[in-house]
Amino acid sequence: MDSPGDDGRLTMPGHLFDELASGGGSAEAVAFLLRVERTRRLMLLGELLDRLDEHPVVVGSAGTAWRLIAEAAEVRPEAAEELLMSPQVGCWITHMLRRMHGTADGPPLWADAGHLFAVCLVARLRAGLDADVVVPLRDGALTLPTLGLVTVTAPGAGGFATARARLRGGELRLSGAGSGGEVVVRPLDGAPDRHWTPARTFAGTPTWLDDLDPYRDLDEPVAPRPLPDAESAYWQRLFGEAATILSRPSTTGPGRLRVEEVRRIVPWTGAPASAGPSPDREPPGGGSPLSATTADAFGSMVVSRPRDGLALAEAMVHEFQHSKLGALLHLFPLLDDDGAEVHYAPWRSDPRHASGLLQGAYAFTGVTGFWRDRMADGAADPELAAFQFALRRLQTRLVVRTLLTRAKPTGPGIRLLHGLAATLDGWLREPVAPGVAARARAAALAHRVEWRLRNLRCGEAERAALTTAFRAGAVPPPPSRYQPVLGGGAAESAADGTGGSGGIDPHGLSDRLLAVAGGSPGHRALLRRPERLLALAPGTPEELRRAADWLLLRA
């Protein structure tokens, strides 16, 4: 289980970085990222074990658990490696470290930390070794990471308790916790019953459909929520469809995904958690599912219920892009980000910080390539694919330009952004039907106009000058030479439902303004700074047209 390399260090070959910087990545490049993640995982595990030694675990010592795992690794090293590199164990390790650093919460610390002995049991099971340990129960059940869930007490038993686990010849006996007797299961080969719920994988693959592991969410531990049989079958069917879609291209490049590199999909049944990367897109009405990824578990993703296999395939591409970028960020600082949420992201309604913008740019480069491939896929809707390709290439290239001109990328960050730019510039030169390209430009413009109306305001001096001149019938004052100020749209929108626009609906105003500009091309100049129109607070279509005509005296 030592780190790879003679001296434990990894040096990334330049050609592999450039492959990833283009938005793609060959199997060799992804394999290198996995080596990076392995090294990081072992370093984090070492730190966690040291910290647990300083905080004794109620159910046993960390040193004892690690000795039992190490013995299993000597017998079956590949099984121990697979377990320790699993998303389930990775998410637990980083959750525990956040708890030890005081940046995360959860159940009683002894119950969280005692999960180490559940990991120990799995390692011993897979190595064919015996064990006698004490394990924590959550709501009367024990999760065996990667294997399944053992229910010890009657359903409805809440809280945290301990049970004694005795493992002999693949048979696991759990006693205690007020169960009134022993529960006996065979996790490796036993059939499902009222005490044993095996972990699900997608048919014919090692990819988990995880509805059991307590650390499968992005933040604090969550209870198991086994999918009903019909819902599990739905996910199985859609994953098969997605795998078929993703298997059609045969070359590497942005948007291409080798399905076997996806380690786990967690059905998203609630609101996004706060830890880990926030989703860089919002749930579209009836479109792509909402999804998210954590850098703690390479190839793992949380996905809301998709409408079809195409939507799931797109989400898988999107989230695997985040996994690749997360691994790169474990090697290189790519941005010097002050955290200020001031940047326009074409796939969100709120301003983003530079790091979020970079995540979106990398993910949507993959999404753009995905739709480019669908244009050549005879089973896909060619018009939908062309529209999505045309729209996403425009939007993503704009974001890359923003990052290069307004953010503070490091040397590796500049190299990565130039790689994305080269990919997107090549795609922008590829022909798309004129009508489709026009619709894509219109959609991109509509989003940008509404975003500005929702989030940007003229400075107080400019707003006062505009309203005074408008009421007096004077010539409009020139636009401020400074950027408009952020209006705090998201917070104000939550309070009054208007997007922080002082009682004016940004979506409705955007539609009316775009209609005015569409009917009179001369009005298109207003779309560059629509917040100047917002400063005049037009309440009716007639007031809107009058204010727009007046502003054109300056435009």
Side-chain angles (χ1 to χ4, degrees), residues 384-442:
L384 172 65
F387 171 77
Q388 290 287 348
F389 171 63
L391 174 64
R392 296 310 188 188
R393 67 182 181 179
L394 281 173
Q395 293 177 321
T396 310
R397 184 60 179 91
L398 173 64
V399 169
V400 170
R401 184 176 69 185
T402 299
L403 287 164
L404 282 167
T405 58
R406 298 188 58 195
K408 297 178 180 178
T410 63
I414 292 172
R415 184 170 172 176
L416 180 133
L417 290 169
H418 281 305
L420 296 179
T423 294
L424 293 161
D425 286 344
W427 289 345
L428 283 166
R429 290 190 289 270
E430 294 183 3
V432 172
V436 172
R439 285 199 298 118
R441 288 193 298 270

Side-chain angles (χ1 to χ4, degrees), residues 532-552:
R532 279 171 61 86
L533 181 63
L534 186 64
L536 301 175
T540 67
E542 178 55 35
E543 290 176 354
L544 172 67
R545 183 168 289 279
R546 189 162 66 89
D549 289 342
W550 178 74
L551 284 171
L552 282 174

Side-chain angles (χ1 to χ4, degrees), residues 164-247:
R164 182 162 296 281
R166 178 179 173 84
L167 177 62
R168 296 290 185 274
E171 182 179 84
L172 177 63
R173 295 177 176 268
L174 293 172
S175 60
S179 61
E182 279 191 332
V183 168
V184 182
V185 296
R186 295 189 63 84
L188 295 180
D189 54 19
D193 60 26
R194 65 190 181 93
H195 291 300
W196 175 241
T197 305
R200 303 179 195 268
T201 57
F202 290 102
T205 79
T207 303
W208 285 285
L209 174 61
D210 193 352
D211 52 359
L212 297 178
D213 193 84
Y215 302 96
R216 67 190 185 278
D217 198 29
L218 301 182
D219 191 7
E220 297 178 9
V222 294
R225 298 186 66 174
L227 295 172
D229 289 344
E231 187 67 7
S232 174
Y234 179 84
W235 279 92
Q236 293 280 356
R237 177 172 63 82
L238 263 59
F239 183 86
E241 293 175 4
T244 298
I245 290 168
L246 292 167
S247 68

Side-chain angles (χ1 to χ4, degrees), residues 132-377:
D132 289 278
V133 295
V134 176
V135 291
L137 303 182
R138 303 165 187 257
D139 299 327
L142 169 67
T143 300
L144 296 175
T146 75
L147 292 182
L149 183 74
V150 186
T151 301
V152 179
T153 60
F160 297 88
T162 61
R164 182 162 296 281
R166 178 179 173 84
L167 177 62
R168 296 290 185 274
E171 182 179 84
L172 177 63
R173 295 177 176 268
L174 293 172
S175 60
S179 61
E182 279 191 332
V183 168
V184 182
V185 296
R186 295 189 63 84
L188 295 180
D189 54 19
D193 60 26
R194 65 190 181 93
H195 291 300
W196 175 241
T197 305
R200 303 179 195 268
T201 57
F202 290 102
T205 79
T207 303
W208 285 285
L209 174 61
D210 193 352
D211 52 359
L212 297 178
D213 193 84
Y215 302 96
R216 67 190 185 278
D217 198 29
L218 301 182
D219 191 7
E220 297 178 9
V222 294
R225 298 186 66 174
L227 295 172
D229 289 344
E231 187 67 7
S232 174
Y234 179 84
W235 279 92
Q236 293 280 356
R237 177 172 63 82
L238 263 59
F239 183 86
E241 293 175 4
T244 298
I245 290 168
L246 292 167
S247 68
R248 289 181 187 134
S250 58
T251 59
T252 61
R256 320 284 171 82
L257 172 63
R258 292 168 290 276
V259 176
E260 64 274 11
E261 292 170 347
V262 175
R263 302 293 309 284
R264 178 176 70 168
I265 294 178
V266 177
W268 201 336
T269 55
S274 59
S278 298
D280 50 46
R281 54 181 172 169
E282 295 167 329
S288 302
L290 186 60
S291 56
T293 298
T294 172
D296 301 334
F298 189 88
S300 177
M301 54 195 69
V302 184
V303 184
S304 66
R305 194 178 197 266
R307 70 173 186 272
D308 55 27
L310 181 67
L312 179 57
E314 181 190 7
M316 290 164 64
V317 168
H318 182 113
E319 296 308 326
F320 196 73
Q321 291 288 106
H322 285 306
S323 282
K324 292 189 296 181
L325 183 61
L328 280 176
L329 285 164
H330 292 155
L331 281 174
F332 309 103
L334 299 177
L335 288 173
D336 180 10
D337 186 6
D338 61 7
E341 296 182 331
V342 297
H343 299 294
Y344 170 60
W347 31 79
R348 291 182 64 107
S349 62
D350 56 342
R352 295 292 280 159
H353 46 64
S355 294
L357 210 60
L358 177 62
Q359 289 283 347
Y362 198 79
F364 276 96
T365 298
V367 169
T368 305
F370 171 81
W371 287 110
R372 177 174 177 263
D373 287 338
R374 303 288 73 73
M375 291 171 63
D377 184 347

